[in-house]
Amino acid sequence: MKSKIETKCIHEGWKPEKGAARQLPIYQSTTFKYDTSDEMGKLFDLEAEGYFYTRLQNPTNDAVAAKICALEGGAAAMLTSSGQAANFYALFNICEAGDHFIASSAIYGGTFNLFGVTMKKMGIECTFVDQDLPEEELAKYFKPNTKAVFGETITNPTVSVFDFEKFARLAHSHGVPLIVDNTFATPINCRPFEWGADIVTHSTTKYMDGHGVGVGGCIVDSGNFDWMAQAEKFPGLTTPDDSYHGIIYAERFGKGAYITKATAQLMRDFGAIQSPQNAFYLNVGLETLHLRMRQHCENALAVAKFLEGNDDVAWVNYPDLESNPYNALAKKYLPKGSCGVLSFGIKGGRERSIQFMDKLKLASIVTHVADSKTCLLHPASHTHRQLTDEQLRAAGIAPDLIRLSVGIENAEDIIDDLKQALAQV
Ligand SMILES: *Cc1c(COP(=O)(O)O)cnc(C)c1O
């Protein structure tokens, strides 16, 4: 029986057998026991499947990864300690010193820094591109050493919508996979594999957890990219790994090759694991993801419409508004709604935007988004504080931009709070 996504949120992952705990148990154990030395030896050679040390794999984490894998419609998945770790592993698993990849310039600031500064120090070069350029223009950025293309379904904080089909065609015609960070949309609103993406990443810290409880990340592989067909580009997957007696991942593990390599090499060596306790919380969040996403979108659209109709508001950016330049892409790729995040500016610029925020009572000022509680941030004063107005504009962030993450409270209460704050500035 093929269940629908709402049912998957509840039932995928942990499948208890007779007499086992109904809720996912937390395997709060670093290690796992075997009867013979030989049994354990086979695990170290990747010849047998099983748990031996939580840095590599843990049953609680695996059950939650399996649920996210099912929601995305993937072939294999792994949890990581954060969204940052997920995006780093997703690229470092197929790029090494001397390699190049292409990323949208509109992505999350933390990822921008990871790609543009830290990975550059490792000898991996990233070209940031304007994701709205036509296909022919974007094709010019590919080089012989290009190994991947990266974008976000809905960008944080500018909430632009990614044109999957355009980027999938570009990536595949150049023999490289398309990696998409699907954090803001979640698989409830968009499943990138259905539009040609090969690998999906998540900061599970956001909607998947949904309650501001635990930082975490996830990588899901569709299993669709044919590494062997591009064998010379991806030697890490298509030539022997000396650290495992010459195993060739793409030959031995088929659709599981990419995730097996990321676990066996990157998790082994870098160790950015999610704690089983956090994975447990994440699983509780996932059980209501479908309900919460619907409410986030409904509330955000009501708030966006209110802001659009208010004379004190200079501009509103929310892809589900008919007036938004990304509305056509949103309708195509996100027919159930985009997400709960929107941005707007108040007439009177930076100063007035700050005054307005200080008057809010229900919405809280926090460095967080995609949470059950309505929250907001002023990038010019917070995340992008060091930049001048001119530098902010170059980064696509208006000095008056307020990033509002609409929660799942009653929409009228959220709007009333905005109204009273606007009345005071
Ligand atoms: C927050 C975020 C990240 C980083 O995730 P952490 O869990 O904070 O490490 C990556 N991508 C997007 C789109 C995000 O919103």
Side-chain angles (χ1 to χ4, degrees), residues 82-84 87 108 111 152 156 181 183-184 203 205-206 215-216:
S82 67
Q84 286 298 108
N87 282 329
Y108 172 67
T111 314
E152 290 175 359
N156 176 2
D181 180 332
T183 298
F184 271 21
S203 165
T205 318
K206 314 295 166 54
V215 173

Side-chain angles (χ1 to χ4, degrees), residues 121-300:
K121 289 183 191 159
M122 306 173 101
I124 298 167
E125 187 201 1
C126 176
T127 302
F128 293 103
V129 300
D130 173 354
Q131 65 177 24
D132 298 329
L133 285 175
E135 207 164 325
E136 327 67 89
E137 288 297 312
L138 288 164
K140 293 179 188 159
Y141 294 102
F142 284 81
K143 305 180 188 189
N145 62 341
T146 301
K147 298 296 166 77
V149 176
F150 181 93
E152 290 175 359
T153 304
I154 306 167
T155 60
N156 176 2
T158 47
V159 287
S160 308
V161 180
F162 190 69
D163 191 345
F164 286 97
E165 288 183 331
K166 176 173 78 175
F167 279 98
R169 269 195 307 271
L170 277 163
H172 297 157
S173 64
H174 291 86
V176 302
L178 174 61
I179 306 178
V180 176
D181 180 332
N182 196 32
T183 298
F184 271 21
T186 82
I188 302 301
N189 286 346
C190 180
R191 286 172 301 283
F193 297 152
E194 294 172 5
W195 298 103
D198 301 287
I199 292 148
V200 159
T201 61
H202 283 281
S203 165
T204 61
T205 318
K206 314 295 166 54
Y207 289 119
M208 285 191 168
D209 169 306
H211 304 78
V213 172
V215 173
C218 185
I219 310 174
V220 190
D221 179 20
S222 66
N224 292 338
F225 193 83
D226 187 351
W227 306 106
M228 276 303 186
Q230 302 294 337
E232 74 297 344
K233 267 193 175 36
F234 302 104
L237 281 151
T238 60
T239 62
D241 177 357
D242 293 337
S243 67
Y244 285 107
H245 305 303
I247 231 170
I248 297 174
Y249 292 98
E251 274 180 358
R252 175 76 78 89
F253 299 103
K255 282 180 180 290
Y258 175 90
I259 292 293
T260 302
K261 176 178 180 291
T263 303
Q265 285 181 346
L266 302 186
M267 213 43 115
R268 178 195 64 189
D269 296 349
F270 292 121
I273 56 159
Q274 188 162 143
S275 76
Q277 179 87 36
N278 275 9
F280 172 84
Y281 292 132
L282 170 56
N283 187 56
V284 175
L286 288 168
E287 290 191 2
T288 56
L289 183 64
H290 56 299
L291 300 173
R292 291 184 288 104
M293 286 313 289
R294 198 194 317 162
Q295 199 61 46
H296 278 293
C297 292
E298 213 176 288
N299 286 1

Side-chain angles (χ1 to χ4, degrees), residues 32-34 38-53 57 62 76 252-253 256 260:
F32 301 84
K33 176 187 172 292
Y34 288 90
D38 190 48
E39 278 175 343
M40 182 113 113
K42 287 203 168 78
L43 299 175
F44 275 95
D45 282 350
L46 302 181
E47 275 177 21
E49 266 189 57
Y51 297 99
F52 54 109
Y53 193 56
Q57 278 185 294
D62 279 1
R252 175 76 78 89
F253 299 103
T260 302

